[in-house]
PDB file of all heavy atoms in Angstrom:
ATOM      1  N   LEU G  61     205.063  25.238  78.381  1.00 81.00           N
ATOM      2  CA  LEU G  61     204.534  26.426  79.057  1.00 81.00           C
ATOM      3  C   LEU G  61     203.033  26.523  78.848  1.00 81.00           C
ATOM      4  O   LEU G  61     202.499  26.170  77.803  1.00 81.00           O
ATOM      5  CB  LEU G  61     205.199  27.694  78.507  1.00 81.00           C
ATOM      6  CG  LEU G  61     206.634  27.926  78.933  1.00 81.00           C
ATOM      7  CD1 LEU G  61     207.172  29.179  78.264  1.00 81.00           C
ATOM      8  CD2 LEU G  61     206.755  28.053  80.438  1.00 81.00           C
ATOM      9  N   ASP G  62     202.345  27.021  79.849  1.00 72.00           N
ATOM     10  CA  ASP G  62     200.898  27.164  79.797  1.00 72.00           C
ATOM     11  C   ASP G  62     200.567  28.561  79.283  1.00 72.00           C
ATOM     12  O   ASP G  62     200.678  29.541  80.006  1.00 72.00           O
ATOM     13  CB  ASP G  62     200.322  26.944  81.195  1.00 72.00           C
ATOM     14  CG  ASP G  62     198.814  26.861  81.177  1.00 72.00           C
ATOM     15  OD1 ASP G  62     198.227  26.843  80.077  1.00 72.00           O
ATOM     16  OD2 ASP G  62     198.229  26.809  82.266  1.00 72.00           O
ATOM     17  N   TYR G  63     200.155  28.640  78.027  1.00 69.00           N
ATOM     18  CA  TYR G  63     199.826  29.928  77.420  1.00 69.00           C
ATOM     19  C   TYR G  63     198.325  30.205  77.434  1.00 69.00           C
ATOM     20  O   TYR G  63     197.859  31.148  76.820  1.00 69.00           O
ATOM     21  CB  TYR G  63     200.321  29.980  75.968  1.00 69.00           C
ATOM     22  CG  TYR G  63     201.798  30.145  75.859  1.00 69.00           C
ATOM     23  CD1 TYR G  63     202.596  29.125  75.390  1.00 69.00           C
ATOM     24  CD2 TYR G  63     202.410  31.335  76.221  1.00 69.00           C
ATOM     25  CE1 TYR G  63     203.966  29.267  75.284  1.00 69.00           C
ATOM     26  CE2 TYR G  63     203.771  31.487  76.134  1.00 69.00           C
ATOM     27  CZ  TYR G  63     204.540  30.457  75.648  1.00 69.00           C
ATOM     28  OH  TYR G  63     205.890  30.615  75.545  1.00 69.00           O
ATOM     29  N   ARG G  64     197.549  29.376  78.116  1.00 66.00           N
ATOM     30  CA  ARG G  64     196.102  29.581  78.160  1.00 66.00           C
ATOM     31  C   ARG G  64     195.769  30.860  78.911  1.00 66.00           C
ATOM     32  O   ARG G  64     196.501  31.302  79.790  1.00 66.00           O
ATOM     33  CB  ARG G  64     195.422  28.395  78.819  1.00 66.00           C
ATOM     34  CG  ARG G  64     195.469  27.167  77.928  1.00 66.00           C
ATOM     35  CD  ARG G  64     194.828  26.027  78.624  1.00 66.00           C
ATOM     36  NE  ARG G  64     195.829  25.521  79.588  1.00 66.00           N
ATOM     37  CZ  ARG G  64     195.613  24.549  80.427  1.00 66.00           C
ATOM     38  NH1 ARG G  64     194.453  23.966  80.472  1.00 66.00           N
ATOM     39  NH2 ARG G  64     196.559  24.142  81.256  1.00 66.00           N
ATOM     40  N   ALA G  65     194.627  31.408  78.586  1.00 58.00           N
ATOM     41  CA  ALA G  65     194.182  32.644  79.226  1.00 58.00           C
ATOM     42  C   ALA G  65     193.951  32.410  80.714  1.00 58.00           C
ATOM     43  O   ALA G  65     193.541  31.336  81.129  1.00 58.00           O
ATOM     44  CB  ALA G  65     192.905  33.138  78.564  1.00 58.00           C
ATOM     45  N   VAL G  66     194.185  33.433  81.503  1.00 64.00           N
ATOM     46  CA  VAL G  66     193.986  33.349  82.936  1.00 64.00           C
ATOM     47  C   VAL G  66     192.493  33.237  83.240  1.00 64.00           C
ATOM     48  O   VAL G  66     192.065  32.515  84.114  1.00 64.00           O
ATOM     49  CB  VAL G  66     194.589  34.592  83.640  1.00 64.00           C
ATOM     50  CG1 VAL G  66     194.261  34.591  85.114  1.00 64.00           C
ATOM     51  CG2 VAL G  66     196.082  34.636  83.407  1.00 64.00           C
ATOM     52  N   SER G  67     191.663  33.944  82.487  1.00 64.00           N
ATOM     53  CA  SER G  67     190.225  33.943  82.698  1.00 64.00           C
ATOM     54  C   SER G  67     189.532  33.272  81.515  1.00 64.00           C
ATOM     55  O   SER G  67     189.920  33.467  80.369  1.00 64.00           O
ATOM     56  CB  SER G  67     189.737  35.386  82.832  1.00 64.00           C
ATOM     57  OG  SER G  67     188.335  35.417  82.833  1.00 64.00           O
ATOM     58  N   ARG G  68     188.493  32.503  81.798  1.00 64.00           N
ATOM     59  CA  ARG G  68     187.735  31.871  80.722  1.00 64.00           C
ATOM     60  C   ARG G  68     186.716  32.849  80.130  1.00 64.00           C
ATOM     61  O   ARG G  68     186.128  32.590  79.103  1.00 64.00           O
ATOM     62  CB  ARG G  68     187.018  30.623  81.229  1.00 64.00           C
ATOM     63  CG  ARG G  68     187.950  29.490  81.518  1.00 64.00           C
ATOM     64  CD  ARG G  68     187.109  28.271  81.846  1.00 64.00           C
ATOM     65  NE  ARG G  68     187.842  27.045  81.710  1.00 64.00           N
ATOM     66  CZ  ARG G  68     188.070  26.394  80.573  1.00 64.00           C
ATOM     67  NH1 ARG G  68     187.644  26.897  79.449  1.00 64.00           N
ATOM     68  NH2 ARG G  68     188.721  25.262  80.555  1.00 64.00           N
ATOM     69  N   LYS G  69     186.474  33.959  80.807  1.00 67.00           N
ATOM     70  CA  LYS G  69     185.508  34.945  80.349  1.00 67.00           C
ATOM     71  C   LYS G  69     186.066  35.662  79.109  1.00 67.00           C
ATOM     72  O   LYS G  69     187.166  36.203  79.148  1.00 67.00           O
ATOM     73  CB  LYS G  69     185.245  35.956  81.465  1.00 67.00           C
ATOM     74  CG  LYS G  69     184.227  36.994  81.132  1.00 67.00           C
ATOM     75  CD  LYS G  69     184.037  37.934  82.310  1.00 67.00           C
ATOM     76  CE  LYS G  69     183.123  39.070  81.935  1.00 67.00           C
ATOM     77  NZ  LYS G  69     183.012  40.035  83.017  1.00 67.00           N
ATOM     78  N   PRO G  70     185.331  35.658  77.991  1.00 64.00           N
ATOM     79  CA  PRO G  70     185.828  36.321  76.784  1.00 64.00           C
ATOM     80  C   PRO G  70     185.868  37.835  76.956  1.00 64.00           C
ATOM     81  O   PRO G  70     185.140  38.403  77.778  1.00 64.00           O
ATOM     82  CB  PRO G  70     184.839  35.916  75.706  1.00 64.00           C
ATOM     83  CG  PRO G  70     183.610  35.492  76.427  1.00 64.00           C
ATOM     84  CD  PRO G  70     184.034  35.040  77.793  1.00 64.00           C
ATOM     85  N   LEU G  71     186.706  38.465  76.186  1.00 63.00           N
ATOM     86  CA  LEU G  71     186.798  39.917  76.211  1.00 63.00           C
ATOM     87  C   LEU G  71     185.493  40.522  75.724  1.00 63.00           C
ATOM     88  O   LEU G  71     184.775  39.933  74.903  1.00 63.00           O
ATOM     89  CB  LEU G  71     187.945  40.392  75.324  1.00 63.00           C
ATOM     90  CG  LEU G  71     189.341  39.983  75.770  1.00 63.00           C
ATOM     91  CD1 LEU G  71     190.356  40.399  74.723  1.00 63.00           C
ATOM     92  CD2 LEU G  71     189.673  40.608  77.108  1.00 63.00           C
ATOM     93  N   LYS G  72     185.177  41.704  76.202  1.00 67.00           N
ATOM     94  CA  LYS G  72     183.951  42.380  75.806  1.00 67.00           C
ATOM     95  C   LYS G  72     183.961  42.592  74.287  1.00 67.00           C
ATOM     96  O   LYS G  72     184.921  43.107  73.735  1.00 67.00           O
ATOM     97  CB  LYS G  72     183.840  43.718  76.527  1.00 67.00           C
ATOM     98  CG  LYS G  72     182.553  44.446  76.278  1.00 67.00           C
ATOM     99  CD  LYS G  72     182.467  45.706  77.108  1.00 67.00           C
ATOM    100  CE  LYS G  72     181.133  46.383  76.887  1.00 67.00           C
ATOM    101  NZ  LYS G  72     181.010  47.578  77.686  1.00 67.00           N
ATOM    102  N   GLY G  73     182.923  42.158  73.635  1.00 65.00           N
ATOM    103  CA  GLY G  73     182.824  42.302  72.190  1.00 65.00           C
ATOM    104  C   GLY G  73     183.444  41.162  71.418  1.00 65.00           C
ATOM    105  O   GLY G  73     183.328  41.100  70.199  1.00 65.00           O
ATOM    106  N   ALA G  74     184.070  40.222  72.100  1.00 60.00           N
ATOM    107  CA  ALA G  74     184.735  39.128  71.407  1.00 60.00           C
ATOM    108  C   ALA G  74     183.752  38.125  70.826  1.00 60.00           C
ATOM    109  O   ALA G  74     184.078  37.394  69.915  1.00 60.00           O
ATOM    110  CB  ALA G  74     185.706  38.414  72.355  1.00 60.00           C
ATOM    111  N   LEU G  75     182.512  38.102  71.359  1.00 61.00           N
ATOM    112  CA  LEU G  75     181.513  37.151  70.882  1.00 61.00           C
ATOM    113  C   LEU G  75     180.763  37.648  69.653  1.00 61.00           C
ATOM    114  O   LEU G  75     179.996  36.911  69.049  1.00 61.00           O
ATOM    115  CB  LEU G  75     180.522  36.819  72.001  1.00 61.00           C
ATOM    116  CG  LEU G  75     181.135  36.134  73.225  1.00 61.00           C
ATOM    117  CD1 LEU G  75     180.060  35.934  74.283  1.00 61.00           C
ATOM    118  CD2 LEU G  75     181.771  34.810  72.850  1.00 61.00           C
ATOM    119  N   GLY G  76     180.937  38.880  69.301  1.00 60.00           N
ATOM    120  CA  GLY G  76     180.272  39.427  68.123  1.00 60.00           C
ATOM    121  C   GLY G  76     178.849  39.837  68.411  1.00 60.00           C
ATOM    122  O   GLY G  76     178.433  39.988  69.564  1.00 60.00           O
ATOM    123  N   ARG G  77     178.040  40.011  67.358  1.00 60.00           N
ATOM    124  CA  ARG G  77     176.664  40.521  67.501  1.00 60.00           C
ATOM    125  C   ARG G  77     175.721  39.500  68.110  1.00 60.00           C
ATOM    126  O   ARG G  77     174.750  39.837  68.735  1.00 60.00           O
ATOM    127  CB  ARG G  77     176.131  40.966  66.150  1.00 60.00           C
ATOM    128  CG  ARG G  77     176.850  42.152  65.610  1.00 60.00           C
ATOM    129  CD  ARG G  77     176.297  42.523  64.250  1.00 60.00           C
ATOM    130  NE  ARG G  77     176.976  43.709  63.789  1.00 60.00           N
ATOM    131  CZ  ARG G  77     176.347  44.849  63.569  1.00 60.00           C
ATOM    132  NH1 ARG G  77     175.068  44.954  63.713  1.00 60.00           N
ATOM    133  NH2 ARG G  77     177.036  45.894  63.160  1.00 60.00           N
ATOM    134  N   ARG G  78     175.953  38.219  67.944  1.00 57.00           N
ATOM    135  CA  ARG G  78     175.035  37.187  68.436  1.00 57.00           C
ATOM    136  C   ARG G  78     174.908  37.210  69.950  1.00 57.00           C
ATOM    137  O   ARG G  78     173.869  36.881  70.493  1.00 57.00           O
ATOM    138  CB  ARG G  78     175.488  35.814  67.985  1.00 57.00           C
ATOM    139  CG  ARG G  78     175.261  35.595  66.493  1.00 57.00           C
ATOM    140  CD  ARG G  78     175.667  34.227  66.126  1.00 57.00           C
ATOM    141  NE  ARG G  78     177.108  34.308  65.812  1.00 57.00           N
ATOM    142  CZ  ARG G  78     177.920  33.311  65.777  1.00 57.00           C
ATOM    143  NH1 ARG G  78     177.513  32.098  66.019  1.00 57.00           N
ATOM    144  NH2 ARG G  78     179.194  33.475  65.473  1.00 57.00           N
ATOM    145  N   ALA G  79     175.947  37.580  70.667  1.00 51.00           N
ATOM    146  CA  ALA G  79     175.928  37.540  72.132  1.00 51.00           C
ATOM    147  C   ALA G  79     175.199  38.716  72.746  1.00 51.00           C
ATOM    148  O   ALA G  79     174.877  38.701  73.908  1.00 51.00           O
ATOM    149  CB  ALA G  79     177.359  37.482  72.658  1.00 51.00           C
ATOM    150  N   ARG G  80     174.937  39.724  71.987  1.00 50.00           N
ATOM    151  CA  ARG G  80     174.313  40.948  72.535  1.00 50.00           C
ATOM    152  C   ARG G  80     172.886  40.777  72.710  1.00 50.00           C
ATOM    153  O   ARG G  80     171.971  40.473  72.819  1.00 50.00           O
ATOM    154  CB  ARG G  80     174.578  42.136  71.614  1.00 50.00           C
ATOM    155  CG  ARG G  80     176.042  42.483  71.600  1.00 50.00           C
ATOM    156  CD  ARG G  80     176.275  43.643  70.709  1.00 50.00           C
ATOM    157  NE  ARG G  80     177.720  43.809  70.571  1.00 50.00           N
ATOM    158  CZ  ARG G  80     178.265  44.558  69.677  1.00 50.00           C
ATOM    159  NH1 ARG G  80     177.535  45.214  68.823  1.00 50.00           N
ATOM    160  NH2 ARG G  80     179.546  44.683  69.601  1.00 50.00           N
TER     161      ARG G  80
END
Side-chain angles (χ1 to χ4, degrees):
L61 287 178
D62 189 7
Y63 286 111
R64 289 178 281 177
V66 174
S67 171
R68 289 187 161 279
K69 182 180 174 184
L71 295 174
K72 185 175 183 179
L75 297 177
R77 293 179 177 243
R78 288 182 272 161
R80 293 180 188 167

